[in-house]
Amino acid sequence: MTETYEEGRRAADAQQIRVGLVQRELAVQRREVRALHARVGEVARAQYRAGGSLAVTARLLLARDAEDALQAEHSARQADQVVDRLMERSELAERRLTTVERRARTAWRDLELRQSRLALVKEDLEKRLEQAQWQLQAEAARSVAAGRCRGAVRLDQPETATAGRAWVAPVAEADGYALSAGFDRAGAHWARRHTGQDFAVAIGTPVRSIGAGRVESVKCGGPFGIEVVVRHADGWYSQYAHLASAAVERGEAVAAGRPIGQAGTTGNSTGPHLHFEVRLTPHLGSGVDPVRWLRERGVELRGAG
């Protein structure tokens, strides 16, 4: 379905370009018709000022000799030929304009049809995606309720997304996250002050390890719902909570940017998001400001103050 949408979008983009070309050609033809009409008007006004055919007749009658008469007749024929040629060019330009206008109308109709079909495909795709998201969330909720993880749900690893980088954000910028509740923030949803940084994202959004390390734990019950904790060098730990699924298992080595789960809304969560922490220990209560911690390592989160 995604491929169908992308194919339709590319076709619509191509048709949009064609419409633009036809519209530019239409503008050129209209300018040409206006210019020819103006020229014909100038010639007609010049003939009127000169007296038109009546003036030619008078010159013929008053001619002193045959040569003057022939010259007057020749001038009249030339003027008539200029007018005839202008009229022919004007009629040809008007015919071309009519043809281009017809092409433009056809191009617009085709574009509107493609866009309507594309909108239907997109709507169907969004419905399917939403159904898949909530199916994933329902399965996650069952795991949390049972207190048992259902095993790692492996995700594809982009080959070059984080190549050569020691540290990355837990959610890719391309996935359209928004920072919501921040570190040490007071609120009605926490017994104490907030212990991490929340990323508002859709259910199923890939969550990735911020750096190389080893999976310390994978849990599927409690207030954090499905959560993964990774141990990094120098004794630092990162936590990823309220997941819809985990993509790693305890003891597994991970690299920076490696997908470790999918965002969800399990545990004590009021909506789809990732709760992310950086800790001095693997336990709750030892967290530091994750935004500042990442910034010190060259990772600037979009929207961070």
Side-chain angles (χ1 to χ4, degrees):
M1 182 61 69
T2 302
E3 293 179 359
T4 301
Y5 175 78
E6 282 300 306
E7 184 178 323
R9 184 187 59 77
R10 287 192 293 269
D13 289 345
Q15 183 61 25
Q16 182 75 61
I17 293 172
R18 286 193 290 272
V19 166
L21 293 174
V22 173
Q23 287 294 110
R24 284 194 288 274
E25 183 181 356
L26 185 59
V28 170
Q29 292 297 330
R30 283 173 174 163
R31 284 197 298 271
E32 182 179 351
V33 168
R34 285 197 297 269
L36 286 169
H37 284 175
R39 181 58 180 150
V40 168
E42 289 174 2
V43 171
R45 286 191 295 273
Q47 283 190 320
Y48 176 78
R49 287 194 296 270
S53 59
L54 182 62
V56 174
T57 303
R59 287 181 59 188
L60 289 171
L61 292 174
L62 297 174
R64 289 171 298 181
D65 52 35
E67 185 175 346
D68 283 347
L70 290 173
Q71 186 174 359
E73 186 178 359
H74 179 68
S75 297
R77 281 201 303 271
Q78 282 186 322
D80 289 341
Q81 288 172 357
V82 168
V83 172
D84 289 344
R85 283 197 297 271
L86 283 173
M87 293 300 295
E88 288 173 1
R89 288 179 58 191
S90 180
E91 291 172 0
L92 179 61
E94 287 177 350
R95 286 198 296 271
R96 285 199 299 264
L97 176 60
T98 300
T99 300
V100 175
E101 285 176 335
R102 188 162 51 247
R103 285 172 52 203
R105 287 193 296 270
T106 301
W108 275 113
R109 282 197 300 269
D110 186 53
L111 177 60
E112 290 171 356
L113 181 60
R114 288 180 184 275
Q115 289 176 331
S116 297
R117 289 174 178 170
L118 193 61
L120 291 175
V121 173
K122 183 180 180 181
E123 182 180 356
D124 185 52
L125 186 62
E126 289 173 345
K127 287 180 180 178
R128 289 170 181 264
L129 177 59
E130 185 177 5
Q131 290 172 355
Q133 287 174 334
W134 288 109
Q135 182 179 352
L136 175 66
Q137 180 60 35
E139 293 173 358
R142 285 193 289 271
S143 295
V144 171
R148 294 192 304 272
C149 296
R150 59 191 176 106
V153 179
R154 301 297 181 178
L155 303 176
D156 292 335
Q157 166 67 51
E159 294 294 331
T160 60
T162 58
R165 298 171 61 183
W167 302 98
V168 299
V171 180
E173 188 168 332
D175 288 323
Y177 68 80
L179 298 182
S180 48
F183 178 74
D184 206 31
R185 174 180 166 186
H189 301 297
W190 313 288
R192 299 179 180 83
R193 299 183 79 82
H194 196 234
T195 56
Q197 174 64 58
D198 287 352
F199 291 73
V201 290
I203 294 172
T205 300
V207 173
R208 52 192 193 171
S209 177
I210 59 169
R214 191 168 296 276
V215 178
E216 177 75 11
S217 64
V218 179
K219 298 179 182 178
C220 296
F224 285 119
I226 299 176
E227 62 168 314
V228 174
V229 175
V230 176
R231 182 178 73 253
H232 303 284
D234 301 326
W236 290 102
Y237 294 82
S238 58
Q239 181 215 25
Y240 314 82
H242 302 309
L243 302 177
S245 72
V248 292
E249 296 176 347
R250 183 182 178 186
E252 188 174 340
V254 294
R258 160 76 185 276
I260 59 172
Q262 293 173 279
T265 182
T266 55
N268 295 346
S269 171
T270 57
H273 73 284
L274 166 69
H275 175 87
F276 169 70
E277 292 190 21
V278 174
R279 298 173 175 173
L280 293 166
T281 75
H283 307 295
L284 179 64
S286 61
V288 299
D289 185 347
V291 174
R292 180 176 178 182
W293 191 92
L294 285 172
R295 182 180 292 137
E296 290 172 350
R297 286 155 180 78
V299 179
E300 191 69 39
L301 298 179
R302 185 191 64 206

